[in-house]
Amino acid sequence: MILNDPESRKVSLASGLSADVLVKGRGAPLLFLHPAQGRVWSPFLDSLAQTHTVYVPLTPGADEPDELMSFDAFSDLALFYDDLLRALSVDDAVVIGHAFGGMAAAEFAAHCPDRVSALILIGAMGLWFDEMPVADVHTTHPTELAGLLFTDPDSEAARSVLQKPTPQDRLAYQLVMGASCHFYWPVPDRDLKRRLYRITAPTLLIWGDADRVVPPAYADAFARGIREARKVLVHGAGHFPHLERSAEVIGSITSFLGESVPEFAAAR
Amino acid sequence: MDNLPDLMDNVSFNMASRAGDRLMKLTFFHMQGYRDLPEDFSKRYASVWVNPPNDELCDPVRVGQYLRWNLQELHYAAELGYDGVGTNEHHQNAYGFPMPSLTAYHLAATTEDVAIVLLGQTLPMNHPLRVAEEMAQIDALSGGRLVAGWPVGTTMDVNHCYGVIPSQTRSRFMEAHDLIKAAWTRPGPFIWNGKYHKLRNVNPWPKPIQKPHPPIWLAGGGSMETWELAAKNNYVYPFLSFNGHLAGRAIMQQFWDCNEAAGNDANPYRAGFAQIVVVAETDQDAEKLYASHISNFYRKTLHIPPYFSGSPGYSSKRSMVNAMNKFQEPTAFSTVPTMVDWKEAIESGKVIGGSPETVRQRMEEAAKTLRVGHFVLLMQLQSMPHDLTLYNIRMFAENVMPHIRHLWDDKWSATGYWPSGARTPKVAAVARPVLSGVA
């Protein structure tokens, strides 16, 4: 139904850059940062939009790669999101990030702790152990990619993320992966570990217990480094637990926010 | 000194260097591949590039033998009168070895007239000042015979082997380009404040002999930015693919369109083309001698999965949109077939092969339709043995080269596109290697 589609906004930032943001819902602001596979609107985001104003910015450079010249590191990306919240007149927001988006969300929370009221990391990249390398989705054979990312490669969730029927879809997919890789190629470790202590927001770590891209042991590493963190393992889910077990993950998020964010509890 | 006025072309025709100026430039180009890959290589391994396990596949003792053969083959070509000898740079693969400037340095020291066509170093992944210094040193040693090849590099080499962030490949290339050119043309020392390199004193010792700088070649695939850069700066664009001269027409046409848009002349010495060429006494002999090596080359050496060849961020959006409009896919690199028999190779133009007469005709046709003044001749294909390679080099030199040299000499000069210190080599009396199995 067309009324249910998110609104697409071009938000001008003080830096001169602009952000391409999908917006939907009413309530406290919530920023969702998408993975390298791209920004796909989902029933999961619809659920969040019932209680929040959900903002989903496209990773800078994902439409026009020339913009990436303005970004040398995650500090630049953190300033981009800081500028975005300022432009939206948002003081602080619940920030959810998935995979590469999780890495970006954790960096944002570490760089600008006052901007983040609660942090939710789903299968987040950003930490690194040589003995347990984060999988390289960019050098996985296309026929094996769905099986790496999802427990059920034939599921609707897998199709919604990976099916690219038109050349335009495939171009957009190349572009968004290219923009994401700009920040973490070839080893997704940019010393976030050193900055985790700066994250003050209450943090929820959501991991598929069958995540083969960022193994669940990384959730424990995040939990050890972040001041106030708790972990939820989603049984039978892979790297996209919020799409594979949407209702369960929404349940976890709702109860976490109810306990952690006073305004959210009051609003309910 | 270097930019001699055009009248010199007329008055000094008797000087070897000037006479050679108008002749088609034929470069024997060595890819320096690994010659002994297992027969079931492409079944057992995912890729010839980046991650074929070195301890399983790459024997350093054999590599030492190959490197000696390669140098002998390059020398043989120089002695037989090829205009240039050259090699390229690739990494972690069975397709070619990584350090072309070492080969070039050796050739510079041990040859007299021939141009040294050094298609590497790959700019985005080498320190630009180091490239400026090494190339200047080779130019000095050779007496101004260097062709400075500045490839952007394949994504396998630059991004996968050397870890350069794909989206920075082009901007790193451009900064290196600007820095090396400045290092070669501006008086040192000067300050460089770039995005990737910050230097208080750029002051290479020496600068190249050739002024303002050696001819610059952009070893290219099909990216629009490369055509435009070549057209803007009068660089040579040698198109390197393994799809051959027929498939290369579309790409070269776009290159020439770019030149026309830039208001450039149509001097064929602006363009080069890499072409696999094999010659024997007869067409049948050629098939008998070379067919298995050609199919081996395509089957193994070009066994590269699309996830290596199409790294996200490597191609510009423009180039991807361009590729999409033509091929329905934003990344077009992985279009080289891996199963090629002799008939297919010849008919598709991937290989120009056969008797001297057949090869002459095809070369002429290719030169004219592509409008190229330089051929980068690929005449050693990985599994091809040393003696067969020497035979191929000689057959081409004696029976094809003299007939296609004068293709463009009615009108065009290679000055600026070919090293000023190179002279059309005098053909030395060389031993004829005995080739078993050939009458």
Side-chain angles (χ1 to χ4, degrees):
Chain A
M1 207 160 81
I2 207 80
L3 282 177
N4 272 343
D5 280 351
E7 174 200 351
S8 176
R9 271 194 225 165
K10 199 94 174 165
V11 182
S12 298
L13 310 184
S15 62
L17 296 168
S18 66
D20 166 342
V21 188
L22 294 180
V23 188
K24 186 171 178 180
R26 245 171 282 140
L30 184 153
L31 191 65
F32 180 86
L33 303 183
H34 66 79
Q37 286 74 26
R39 179 176 64 175
V40 178
W41 194 268
S42 61
F44 169 76
L45 293 173
D46 272 330
S47 299
L48 294 174
Q50 288 175 9
T51 49
H52 289 79
T53 307
V54 176
Y55 298 97
V56 188
L58 186 65
T59 296
D63 179 48
E64 181 40 72
D66 287 349
E67 287 174 8
L68 294 170
M69 287 296 278
S70 303
F71 297 84
D72 291 334
F74 275 101
S75 51
D76 294 315
L77 192 57
L79 294 183
F80 176 86
Y81 293 127
D82 186 59
D83 288 347
L84 173 61
L85 293 192
R86 198 177 308 272
L88 294 169
S89 302
V90 168
D91 290 332
D92 59 21
V94 173
V95 178
I96 306 182
H98 169 224
F100 157 63
M103 188 174 184
E107 289 281 12
F108 180 47
H111 281 80
C112 308
D114 298 340
R115 287 294 202 183
V116 183
S117 58
L119 176 66
I120 299 169
L121 303 179
I122 305 172
M125 290 160 42
L127 301 180
W128 183 266
F129 303 107
D130 285 342
E131 63 278 13
M132 194 174 34
V134 172
D136 185 356
V137 297
H138 306 293
T139 58
T140 299
H141 198 280
T143 57
E144 290 163 13
L145 187 59
L148 177 68
L149 298 178
F150 297 89
T151 37
D152 176 5
D154 301 318
S155 62
E156 176 53 33
R159 274 199 296 277
S160 73
V161 172
L162 294 175
Q163 248 179 18
K164 307 291 169 196
T166 71
Q168 281 73 15
D169 293 334
R170 296 194 283 278
L171 174 67
Y173 186 57
Q174 279 293 117
L175 287 170
V176 72
M177 284 199 298
S180 309
C181 286
H182 182 79
F183 293 95
Y184 65 75
W185 183 280
V187 173
D189 178 13
R190 296 296 185 271
D191 294 322
L192 170 61
K193 187 181 174 197
R194 261 192 350 228
R195 293 182 285 277
L196 282 182
Y197 79 92
R198 289 178 48 88
I199 298 176
T200 49
T203 300
L204 178 65
L205 305 160
I206 299 174
W207 245 261
D209 71 350
D211 189 332
R212 292 169 54 215
V213 179
V214 187
Y218 279 97
D220 299 322
F222 273 108
R224 283 194 298 275
I226 296 176
R227 213 175 293 181
E228 196 187 323
R230 72 173 83 158
K231 179 183 84 170
V232 172
L233 276 186
V234 183
H235 183 65
H239 189 50
F240 284 71
H242 56 302
L243 302 188
E244 296 175 275
R245 301 282 184 274
S246 190
E248 188 182 334
V249 170
I250 287 288
S252 301
I253 290 175
T254 305
S255 62
F256 165 72
L257 291 179
E259 290 164 34
S260 311
V261 186
E263 312 90 80
F264 184 72
R268 275 202 309 166
Chain B
M1 176 67 198
D2 48 294
N3 282 336
L4 293 169
D6 273 354
L7 61 95
M8 287 298 288
D9 288 356
N10 301 321
V11 299
S12 56
F13 200 71
N14 58 341
M15 289 165 61
S17 59
R18 304 312 304 169
D21 177 61
R22 289 171 178 277
L23 295 178
M24 176 116 204
K25 299 293 175 275
L26 301 165
T27 294
F28 171 73
F29 195 75
H30 214 308
M31 294 186 284
Q32 308 213 65
Y34 194 89
R35 301 193 187 201
D36 299 283
L37 288 177
E39 192 47 42
D40 60 349
F41 172 80
S42 0
K43 286 205 187 77
R44 261 166 61 196
Y45 300 96
S47 174
V48 75
W49 218 317
V50 184
N51 63 3
N54 50 8
D55 281 348
E56 281 176 43
L57 290 164
C58 183
D59 172 6
V61 176
R62 284 191 185 193
V63 170
Q65 176 64 72
Y66 303 152
L67 291 171
R68 280 174 186 279
W69 282 334
N70 297 347
L71 289 174
Q72 287 163 14
E73 288 154 11
L74 287 157
H75 273 281
Y76 193 60
E79 287 163 6
L80 283 171
Y82 286 73
D83 302 275
V85 286
T87 189
N88 52 350
E89 171 182 355
H90 292 299
H91 298 265
Q92 299 188 178
N93 69 9
Y95 164 93
F97 291 123
M99 300 298 162
S101 57
L102 298 179
T103 309
Y105 197 79
H106 170 87
L107 293 170
T110 53
T111 60
E112 295 295 332
D113 301 321
V114 72
I116 313 289
V117 180
L118 175 56
L119 297 193
Q121 293 109 6
T122 301
L123 296 199
M125 58 191 234
N126 288 297
H127 196 294
L129 198 52
R130 169 110 188 187
V131 177
E133 289 175 329
E134 277 190 12
M135 288 194 165
Q137 201 170 327
I138 294 166
D139 196 53
L141 177 64
S142 66
R145 289 185 284 133
L146 179 74
V147 165
W150 290 358
V152 173
T154 71
T155 179
M156 284 76 76
D157 292 323
V158 177
N159 309 127
H160 289 285
C161 296
Y162 270 60
V164 171
I165 293 169
S167 48
Q168 290 185 340
T169 306
R170 180 70 49 178
S171 56
R172 282 183 181 276
F173 171 84
M174 280 315 301
E175 182 174 329
H177 165 279
D178 295 347
L179 172 51
I180 299 168
K181 208 161 165 183
W184 282 354
T185 53
R186 287 174 59 181
F190 61 87
I191 296 174
W192 186 263
N193 179 19
K195 180 178 173 71
Y196 304 108
H197 303 280
K198 307 219 181 261
L199 302 164
R200 271 280 162 186
N201 290 283
V202 178
N203 188 33
W205 278 50
K207 287 159 88 166
I209 287 179
Q210 296 184 76
K211 303 292 177 206
H213 52 73
I216 291 166
W217 288 29
L218 304 174
S223 86
M224 307 171 80
E225 290 78 7
T226 304
W227 303 327
E228 287 166 2
L229 187 69
K232 185 177 166 203
N233 292 281
N234 299 314
Y235 299 156
V236 174
Y237 172 71
F239 179 49
L240 307 171
S241 88
F242 297 104
N243 279 324
H245 63 108
L246 298 177
R249 284 181 191 174
I251 293 284
M252 292 312 292
Q253 187 55 52
Q254 296 192 65
F255 170 67
W256 286 117
D257 290 347
C258 242
N259 274 287
E260 200 181 332
N264 290 340
D265 63 27
N267 187 337
Y269 294 107
R270 292 179 179 278
F273 195 79
Q275 176 66 50
I276 297 175
V277 179
V278 290
V279 194
E281 298 289 340
T282 66
D283 291 353
Q284 291 73 19
D285 278 353
E287 178 173 1
K288 201 170 76 185
L289 288 169
Y290 301 110
S292 64
H293 302 298
I294 286 162
S295 95
N296 183 80
F297 175 77
Y298 279 94
R299 199 171 69 241
K300 297 178 190 169
T301 312
L302 300 180
H303 177 55
I304 303 163
Y307 53 79
F308 277 150
S309 56
S311 307
Y314 173 77
S315 296
S316 71
K317 186 177 179 180
R318 286 176 65 210
S319 283
M320 286 198 286
V321 169
N322 187 44
M324 201 175 75
N325 292 336
K326 291 201 174 59
F327 312 109
Q328 301 300 304
E329 288 300 331
T331 53
F333 189 93
S334 56
T335 52
V336 182
T338 51
M339 282 307 292
V340 176
D341 64 13
W342 177 258
K343 188 162 172 288
E344 212 283 298
I346 298 296
E347 281 174 4
S348 66
K350 287 183 183 63
V351 172
I352 292 182
S355 70
E357 182 53 32
T358 302
V359 172
R360 273 203 296 274
Q361 284 174 9
R362 291 281 177 279
M363 296 290 293
E364 279 194 34
E365 177 197 328
K368 289 288 186 189
T369 53
L370 300 168
R371 199 173 178 78
V372 294
H374 310 268
F375 270 117
V376 173
L377 300 162
L378 312 173
M379 306 180 76
Q380 200 287 331
L381 296 176
Q382 269 69 15
S383 63
M384 260 171 76
H386 182 51
D387 61 348
L388 183 59
T389 305
L390 297 179
Y391 171 78
N392 192 26
I393 293 169
R394 178 171 64 79
M395 286 299 287
F396 184 87
E398 291 181 348
N399 303 303
V400 180
M401 204 146 68
H403 303 278
I404 62 173
R405 271 241 159 94
H406 295 274
L407 223 54
W408 301 111
D409 64 0
D410 53 335
K411 184 163 177 199
W412 300 103
S413 156
T415 298
Y417 306 110
W418 193 247
S420 53
R423 289 170 294 274
T424 300
K426 292 178 282 296
V427 180
V430 293
R432 296 191 163 207
V434 177
L435 182 62
S436 50
V438 178

